[in-house]
Amino acid sequence: MKTAKFQFIVIFSVCGITGGEVAAQQPFWQRVDSVERFSWSVAFGDAGEIFTADGKSGVYKSINDGRHWAAANEGLVNRTVHDMYFDAAGRLFAATNDGVFRSDDRAEHWTRASAGLPEGPVHVLASGGDDTLFALPGMRVYRSINAGNRWDLIGPPGTAPCSGVCVTGSGVLIVSTDDTLYRSTDAGATWRVCHARPRETFLPPIVDTRGVVYTAANFGKVLLSGDEGITWTTLYPGLGHISVLAAGSDGYLYSSMYAAKGLVRSNDGAATWTDVPASDSPGSEYTTRIAMDPQGRLITCDHFDGVFRYAPDFSFKEPLRGRALYYELPTMALSRLAISDSGSMAVLPEHDGLFRSNDGGITWIPTDVSFPQSWGNRVFVGGARHSMYVVSSDSLYISTDGAATWHAAPAPADTYTTVRPLQSGTLLLGSRQWIYRSTDQGATWNVVTQSAGPHSVIGIAQDTRGDVYALVDANRLLVSTDDGNTWLIRASTGFDGSYTKIACGAAGRVYAVKGMGPVVAASDDGGATFRSANTGMSPNELTAFSTDAQGRVFAAGAWWVSGGVYISADFGASWRKQNSGFYSVEYQWAFEPGVMDLVRGPAGRMYALTDSGLYCGSDWPLGVDKSKAQPANIGHVYPNPFRSGTTVTWTLERKQHVDVQVFDLLGRRVASLASGMFAAGTHSIPFTGSGLPQGSYFVRIGTADRSRLFMIVKQ
């Protein structure tokens, strides 16, 4: 049986064990592909479609078994989707933060289907058979018998929020709340308590293929009823704290424990459990949903890492839609990032494969493209609209749909070194001898550097005026002022050393970079004269170099040779390290990330691909701290110590997002008290500590401005 693995560093290094406020300066780098958690959900169409939602960016649809995904959000007013359901009539329902929406054309268009529901979020959708659908907006259960056109409140009584509902084969309704199970035999007209256990929390009830009803409670207890909820038996199978319980179409029960690697399953009515093969791998520690697709393949959703699918024989599992880069990429050592002008993103790892994002880098989708295994000096760049380009030593690949599909361009026979799309749409291809030019997206090519003689091209860049510079062998510059059509050798002074990169800034500034050293040379006159530009820079090797729309210059090193990012706000005259915001628990003891690529994205903002995910640079001038405006006054917890309960209170001077979590001394989250937008003013929320043993815990109140950590004691 697999055991939970916890990391002591999670809470103590991030939050700091103090009782005082932590004034949080606005970090320069902000994680793009990370939120606290995702509300992943999945649904299956009757024509082979797969629908997924991540709880942040809406619904995505795949019509080819999960190989490619497309956003499907037209008409979906709120894209925070918590649950989905595809009914027998081919209608897709989405439970959002703004009620229920329905699509009658397989997610091509959405319309609101919330009449009768209270305003606010709906977290759970469940089928009642035929056209009956149940929605749980919080405290009560609502039912619709006409495809969501009208919802009616059906109960049950009580004051605790409802967590789940199931329908037995004979139509009996079983509803779970925090500590009570309710039963109705007349479609919700009347309810009876069928099981109650104070100070416990029941998971949503489920029904297996034999008609047995199951739920789970605190500390690994499984409850089952063979008579549709009239009587219940409690089992103690030795599991940890169960986070999800599901019944598969194969007759097995499946379960996952909080913060424990892998899944377990049972085929004897929850009495004994065995490990699910291939489940002890990335994307299995925070499983919140388990289902089976129409082909009988197990599907799991992980709060942090996405949606996974198992092979029919459980020999392996694969990511269908993923969030984080660090677990999906075979290695980050030589990974490259490309961003098109329209904002499409893709990451190319060292080996075969590619990952793309069409929601600004929030979620990442594996793509089944196959590139050559021997890359040599590979280059990966984005272009106009949704175009992207990959070049290896013997081939050029082009995508015009944001990296979803690729084709090999009929490039001339040569050994290629680089590729550069220009502002006009012209494409330049560098080789060991020449620069080739195409004005029809790689269909035809012309050699354009005959007058300058054969040169091995190292890199090509274009400045804001449209002039194009090519760094070639013997540390020489070729310059074109007519969109790469004709080229001249520029006689440059102060230009020496083995330069490996070239970049352009504003007003004709040119930067040449020596990979080892480091040595950065800068020119303010279009490459005529160069000066050394290294003051304040210390890494021995630069892995990436770029400029943003503000004229700032970014240089990055890999972690094993003093990593992180250096920024110059004075055109390379001086540099300073800028890694604020990079640190996260993934780094463990390394406080400087390995940066594999720096790419200017839409609006000129800088993106850094690191060994722990993708980050975006702040868009305000270097050195300005916006966090000093309207700080939050984070409050207190009282009483402390407490027996039956305590109250967490905080005060805001402006409307903003507040996150209130409770952790044990090992850094494990034991309760989530609040996570959402709160208006200016004072707010309070009770915490009973129900189900928790006596001892010490930490309450963390966090906003964008400040955070505070309190130690509390339950007696």
Side-chain angles (χ1 to χ4, degrees):
M1 186 75 66
K2 299 177 175 65
T3 58
K5 300 177 183 178
F6 304 104
Q7 297 188 21
F8 183 84
I9 192 173
V10 173
I11 298 303
F12 300 110
S13 62
V14 176
C15 300
I17 304 304
T18 69
E21 289 187 3
V22 180
Q25 288 190 346
Q26 186 72 38
F28 184 87
W29 295 102
Q30 300 171 357
R31 183 75 178 265
V32 175
D33 61 328
S34 177
V35 295
E36 183 189 358
R37 62 176 60 186
F38 284 82
S39 299
W40 291 99
S41 56
V42 61
F44 307 99
D46 55 11
E49 311 97 330
I50 308 175
F51 304 92
T52 62
D54 54 39
K56 184 176 180 70
S57 59
V59 176
Y60 285 79
K61 175 182 178 180
S62 175
I63 59 174
N64 55 7
D65 206 34
R67 291 189 295 275
H68 301 128
W69 297 87
N73 295 315
E74 184 176 339
L76 195 65
V77 175
N78 191 292
R79 297 190 181 184
T80 302
V81 177
H82 299 288
D83 201 2
M84 292 188 297
Y85 173 70
F86 193 92
D87 72 6
R91 296 173 294 230
L92 182 63
F93 296 84
T96 78
N97 261 5
D98 191 22
V100 175
F101 287 77
R102 184 186 70 218
S103 174
D104 298 325
D105 53 10
R106 302 176 186 273
E108 295 298 320
H109 305 86
W110 294 88
T111 57
R112 187 179 294 276
S114 297
L117 291 175
E119 293 185 3
V122 175
H123 291 93
V124 178
L125 291 173
S127 169
D130 299 325
D131 291 331
T132 303
L133 189 64
F134 297 99
L136 278 66
M139 302 298 292
R140 295 290 183 271
V141 177
Y142 287 76
R143 180 185 61 199
S144 174
I145 58 174
N146 54 10
N149 292 318
R150 176 69 192 179
W151 296 87
D152 298 305
L153 174 64
I154 63 170
T159 59
C162 297
S163 59
V165 58
C166 73
V167 183
T168 69
S170 62
V172 175
L173 297 179
I174 308 291
V175 171
S176 61
T177 67
D178 281 351
D179 56 8
T180 305
L181 298 175
Y182 293 89
R183 181 175 185 266
S184 175
T185 59
D186 51 11
T190 60
W191 294 88
R192 291 186 177 222
V193 174
C194 60
H195 194 80
R197 186 166 292 185
R199 303 177 65 84
E200 292 201 347
T201 300
F202 292 114
L203 290 185
I206 61 171
V207 183
D208 71 5
T209 54
R210 301 173 301 164
V212 179
V213 183
Y214 299 85
T215 185
N218 298 15
F219 308 113
K221 294 187 284 290
V222 178
L223 291 80
L224 61 94
S225 173
D227 52 12
E228 298 185 311
I230 298 175
T231 60
W232 294 84
T233 300
T234 301
L235 302 177
Y236 299 87
L239 302 179
H241 194 25
I242 298 173
S243 62
V244 62
L245 190 65
S249 57
D250 56 359
Y252 278 90
L253 294 177
Y254 292 88
S255 181
S256 174
M257 283 74 71
Y258 282 108
K261 278 283 189 182
L263 308 177
V264 293
R265 63 179 177 176
S266 171
N267 64 354
D268 59 4
T272 60
W273 297 78
T274 58
D275 295 333
V276 173
S279 69
D280 189 3
S281 57
S284 62
E285 290 189 71
Y286 295 91
T287 302
T288 57
R289 294 174 190 265
I290 302 173
M292 278 193 160
D293 68 9
Q295 289 75 42
R297 296 171 295 187
L298 190 69
I299 306 293
T300 60
C301 299
D302 185 272
H303 260 323
F304 296 95
D305 293 325
V307 182
F308 295 81
R309 180 172 62 198
Y310 288 75
D313 61 357
F314 294 95
S315 59
F316 66 91
K317 73 174 183 177
E318 58 182 335
L320 283 182
R321 277 197 66 213
R323 186 271 306 174
L325 292 173
Y326 62 85
Y327 87 89
E328 289 177 334
L329 297 178
T331 175
M332 297 293 291
L334 295 175
S335 297
R336 292 293 179 261
L337 169 69
I339 307 176
S340 70
D341 293 348
S342 61
S344 301
M345 295 183 176
V347 171
L348 182 67
E350 180 181 11
H351 301 294
D352 195 19
L354 183 141
F355 298 84
R356 64 187 179 91
S357 173
N358 49 18
D359 57 12
I362 298 173
T363 61
W364 292 84
I365 303 167
T367 304
D368 60 350
V369 63
S370 180
F371 292 128
Q373 293 292 319
S374 300
W375 281 103
N377 183 28
R378 64 180 181 163
V379 176
F380 185 36
V381 296
R385 294 178 293 278
H386 294 283
S387 297
M388 294 184 184
Y389 307 88
V390 175
V391 67
S392 67
S393 59
D394 59 357
S395 56
L396 170 67
Y397 286 80
I398 299 176
S399 173
T400 58
D401 55 9
T405 60
W406 294 80
H407 67 273
D414 207 334
T415 302
Y416 311 125
T417 58
T418 190
V419 62
R420 174 62 55 186
L422 302 183
Q423 299 164 8
S424 63
T426 296
L427 192 61
L428 300 179
L429 180 63
S431 76
R432 292 289 179 86
Q433 299 185 82
W434 312 104
I435 294 177
Y436 299 89
R437 182 175 185 263
S438 174
T439 58
D440 52 13
Q441 276 291 298
T444 59
W445 299 87
N446 294 313
V447 177
V448 290
T449 51
Q450 296 97 326
S451 60
H455 288 284
S456 181
V457 182
I458 299 171
I460 302 173
Q462 186 176 27
D463 67 18
T464 55
R465 301 177 303 188
D467 294 348
V468 189
Y469 301 83
L471 175 64
V472 299
D473 56 4
N475 287 301
R476 307 183 75 175
L477 274 183
L478 304 183
V479 181
S480 172
T481 59
D482 59 0
D483 200 48
N485 191 38
T486 60
W487 295 78
L488 296 174
I489 298 176
R490 175 138 302 171
S492 302
T493 59
F495 193 62
D496 54 10
S498 302
Y499 296 108
T500 59
K501 298 178 181 8
I502 186 171
C504 289
R509 287 191 176 88
V510 183
Y511 300 92
V513 182
K514 182 179 179 181
M516 300 298 294
V519 175
V520 177
S523 172
D524 297 326
D525 53 12
T529 59
F530 282 83
R531 57 178 171 81
S532 177
N534 304 296
T535 303
M537 187 183 294
S538 63
N540 297 320
E541 180 181 2
L542 294 182
T543 55
F545 192 93
S546 189
T547 62
D548 70 0
Q550 298 183 30
R552 297 175 297 187
V553 193
F554 294 71
W559 67 269
W560 57 87
V561 283
S562 182
V565 175
Y566 288 79
I567 302 180
S568 174
D570 52 13
F571 315 115
S574 62
W575 297 80
R576 71 172 182 172
K577 190 175 292 186
Q578 183 55 275
N579 292 329
S580 63
F582 272 144
Y583 179 76
S584 68
V585 295
E586 285 90 351
Y587 288 125
Q588 299 292 326
W589 308 112
F591 290 85
E592 295 180 347
V595 180
M596 308 308 157
D597 214 348
L598 290 169
V599 178
R600 183 194 296 189
R605 299 188 69 180
M606 187 58 59
Y607 289 81
L609 178 64
T610 78
D611 52 11
S612 184
L614 180 66
Y615 292 79
C616 181
S618 306
D619 59 356
W620 55 84
L622 196 65
V624 175
D625 182 10
K626 285 189 172 181
S627 67
K628 296 179 181 178
Q630 295 181 304
N633 177 20
I634 298 183
H636 59 274
V637 179
Y638 182 83
N640 186 20
F642 67 95
R643 292 184 183 275
S644 59
T646 187
T647 300
V648 182
T649 301
W650 65 93
T651 301
L652 304 177
E653 296 185 8
R654 61 184 173 88
K655 182 179 179 180
Q656 60 179 307
H657 189 278
V658 177
D659 188 71
V660 184
Q661 307 290 334
V662 184
F663 302 89
D664 64 14
L665 293 180
L666 293 178
R668 298 172 294 194
R669 180 175 25 239
V670 296
S672 179
L673 304 186
S675 183
M677 297 298 296
F678 287 84
T682 299
H683 305 269
S684 297
I685 190 167
F687 175 60
T688 64
S690 174
L692 296 177
Q694 296 178 353
S696 297
Y697 298 88
F698 293 100
V699 175
R700 181 183 182 274
I701 311 173
T703 71
D705 299 328
R706 293 171 182 260
S707 65
R708 190 169 184 182
L709 195 71
F710 301 88
M711 178 178 282
I712 61 174
V713 178
K714 180 182 179 183
Q715 295 181 335

